[in-house]
Amino acid sequence: MKNSRFLADYGMIFVLLLLCAFFSVVTNSDQSPTGEAAAKQVVSAIQSQFGKNPRVLIAVSDQQGDAAFAASTERELTAAGAQVVATVKGEPKDAREALVKTNATGGKLDAIACTQVTGAWLVFADLKTDFPALGEPRVITPRSYRWPNFLKSENLLNIANQIAIIAIIAIGMTMVIITGGIDLSVGSMIALSSVVAARFIRDHANGVGASVGGMLAGCLVAILLCGTVGAFSGTMITRFRVPPFIVTLSMMLVCSGAAYKLSNNTTISEIPDSFIWLGRGADFLGLPNAVVLMMALYLLAHVLMSRMKLGRYIYAVGGNAEAARLSGVAVEGVMMFAYIASGLLAGLGGVVMASLLKSGSGTFGNMYELKVIAAVVVGGTSLTGGQGKIFGTLIGAFIIAVIENGMNLTNIESQMQKIVLGLVILGAVLLDKIRHR
């Protein structure tokens, strides 16, 4: 029974692992080390082939990462006693100028240290014929190896960073759906929160010269405003018995219109560079701060839903609201909490997006409500209410992110990506129905 229950609650984790394995296989390709790792390989090869005092030309492009390769290679070769004749940074014509100059002075070259890209330049194709005075220099490049593009550390961090906003908002959506409701306004609240935070910083906290306190105040105002929207939705649903779909659809339009109105249909970007700390910073073990925040929120939400009385009440209301009421549960209060939490977390998601993009705009969060709902449903939460797990939602969010990332890596067009994601959501709901039967 324990195994069956685990599979029912977290069976999608095996789907996530299968997806990771699939995209690892289809994106497996030749890789070349870059930066200092590539420099160590090249320096080691030069020393083993030419001894301790070779004459070396270093040639790199102006691409990102090549500067570190050039600096590390020059530093290590010089320390080992080699003579670095020149370091070329740029295009093939720059390498040709350096070769012509060295050839004119009658200097010999033993090796040319290159990256995989510069090693393929045609200027190095026939050095013996074009520059006879150089001798027979060898082009040394780092060794290539096979590794999936999907499993590159930067790609995995990119997946985690991209899903952080959706996953944070999905915590509140999980609570709402477990109570038997829905919240379609979270995407528009992302836009509203980003605009309010950015505008507050611009108009009331000295703009680009804003202090940490001013930025925090702007973020807090934006989050509390979205919490107020959630409270309003909860009131309409609990007090006036308006269906959640209609209430939150209305608030989606209201929040979207308010975001465009407050921003005057423009992007507000007059905020300090330090504002990107939450969205782009990485201060803990190299993990993005947004991802660390997401992990902390999921731990707190897990404790709330599995270890606290309020969490049990949320499940009870979704399972049978009338039975919960007769048992003494404050049904309206529990539902109000779920919608307020959804609003607050949507506001926080908007602040993270504003930090990530260093701006606020009414266009932010477009269609995010569908991605959030998809993450919750794929993670195993039942749309009929009463069932679902917080960590299941996190798994669902990563499934959505992995599918999108994998399709981007395999160059699948955006239209087909929408078809695939739609089928994934439909399949998740179908599995939920089969499980209930």
Side-chain angles (χ1 to χ4, degrees):
M1 287 185 64
K2 288 183 178 180
N3 290 336
S4 298
R5 186 173 180 178
F6 178 83
L7 287 173
D9 292 337
Y10 301 110
M12 294 304 289
I13 194 171
F14 298 107
V15 175
L16 177 60
L17 293 175
L18 287 174
L19 285 170
C20 292
F22 173 75
F23 286 121
S24 296
V25 171
V26 298
T27 61
N28 193 35
S29 60
D30 289 329
Q31 309 288 342
S32 177
T34 58
E36 294 186 359
K40 289 181 180 180
Q41 279 197 21
V42 170
V43 170
S44 177
I46 291 174
Q47 290 177 337
S48 63
Q49 294 183 39
F50 304 102
K52 296 184 178 180
N53 301 304
R55 288 170 55 84
V56 182
L57 172 71
I58 300 173
V60 298
S61 67
D62 52 6
Q63 295 181 3
Q64 186 177 4
D66 280 13
F69 170 84
S72 182
T73 301
E74 184 173 358
R75 182 176 61 252
E76 293 194 24
L77 285 174
T78 302
Q83 181 181 352
V84 177
V85 176
T87 299
V88 177
K89 298 179 182 179
E91 301 176 358
K93 63 179 183 179
D94 301 311
R96 178 173 292 278
E97 291 177 2
L99 291 171
V100 169
K101 183 177 180 180
T102 305
N103 185 71
T105 59
K108 298 286 185 178
L109 271 183
D110 295 305
I112 302 176
C114 299
T115 64
Q116 283 287 345
V117 174
T118 58
W121 284 352
L122 292 178
V123 68
F124 302 135
D126 195 1
L127 292 170
K128 185 177 181 180
T129 301
D130 296 338
F131 308 100
L134 299 181
E136 298 184 13
R138 297 181 187 175
V139 176
I140 308 296
T141 60
R143 297 186 303 274
S144 62
Y145 60 94
R146 300 284 292 181
W147 186 256
N149 288 324
F150 177 80
L151 291 181
K152 286 183 177 180
S153 59
E154 58 268 27
N155 185 61
L156 295 177
L157 284 175
N158 181 49
I159 291 174
N161 209 24
Q162 284 182 340
I163 205 61
I165 296 172
I166 292 175
I168 288 171
I169 301 171
I171 295 174
M173 184 68 75
T174 302
M175 296 179 185
V176 168
I177 292 179
I178 289 176
T179 64
I182 197 75
D183 190 350
L184 300 177
S185 63
V186 292
S188 296
M189 280 195 277
I190 292 175
L192 180 61
S193 175
S194 70
V195 168
V196 170
R199 180 164 177 171
F200 184 96
I201 293 171
R202 184 193 66 184
D203 297 343
H204 304 288
N206 197 27
V208 293
S211 64
V212 174
M215 289 186 285
L216 287 175
C219 294
L220 185 61
V221 168
I223 294 171
L224 290 177
L225 177 60
C226 291
T228 303
V229 173
F232 177 82
S233 297
T235 301
M236 292 293 104
I237 293 165
T238 58
R239 295 287 184 179
F240 298 95
R241 300 292 187 268
V242 183
F245 182 89
I246 299 301
V247 173
T248 57
L249 178 62
S250 301
M251 296 313 298
M252 176 181 72
L253 298 174
V254 170
C255 291
S256 178
Y260 280 108
K261 185 69 175 177
L262 290 172
S263 63
N264 293 320
N265 294 325
T266 61
T267 298
I268 302 174
S269 57
E270 295 86 353
I271 49 182
D273 292 338
S274 58
F275 188 67
I276 66 173
W277 176 84
L278 180 60
R280 303 185 203 173
D283 296 334
F284 181 74
L285 299 177
L287 293 174
N289 292 331
V291 175
V292 175
L293 174 62
M294 176 194 74
M295 294 168 61
L297 289 173
Y298 267 86
L299 287 173
L300 291 174
H302 174 70
V303 172
L304 169 66
M305 297 296 288
S306 62
R307 294 289 184 267
M308 297 179 67
K309 188 181 296 184
L310 178 57
R312 298 300 182 187
Y313 287 170
I314 291 174
Y315 283 106
V317 169
N320 191 321
E322 182 61 19
R325 185 186 66 81
L326 294 174
S327 300
V329 176
V331 174
E332 292 185 359
V334 171
M335 294 180 68
M336 283 290 294
F337 171 82
Y339 282 95
I340 292 173
S342 180
L344 291 172
L345 289 167
L348 178 59
V351 167
V352 175
M353 181 169 285
S355 175
L356 178 66
L357 302 177
K358 195 175 169 288
S359 61
S361 172
T363 61
F364 291 175
N366 185 34
M367 301 296 288
Y368 264 55
E369 60 277 353
L370 299 183
K371 291 184 178 181
V372 170
I373 294 171
V376 175
V377 173
V378 171
T381 298
S382 175
L383 286 172
T384 57
Q387 292 185 346
K389 296 290 183 180
I390 287 294
F391 283 130
T393 295
L394 182 60
I395 294 168
F398 271 101
I399 286 175
I400 299 298
V402 165
I403 291 174
E404 288 186 330
N405 179 264
M407 289 191 292
N408 287 330
L409 291 176
T410 51
N411 297 319
I412 295 177
E413 58 185 8
S414 60
Q415 294 87 345
M416 182 58 66
Q417 291 187 24
K418 292 181 179 179
I419 294 173
V420 172
L421 286 175
L423 292 175
V424 167
I425 296 170
L426 180 60
V429 176
L430 181 61
L431 287 174
D432 177 65
K433 290 296 183 182
I434 294 174
R435 184 179 61 183
H436 278 80
R437 290 180 181 178

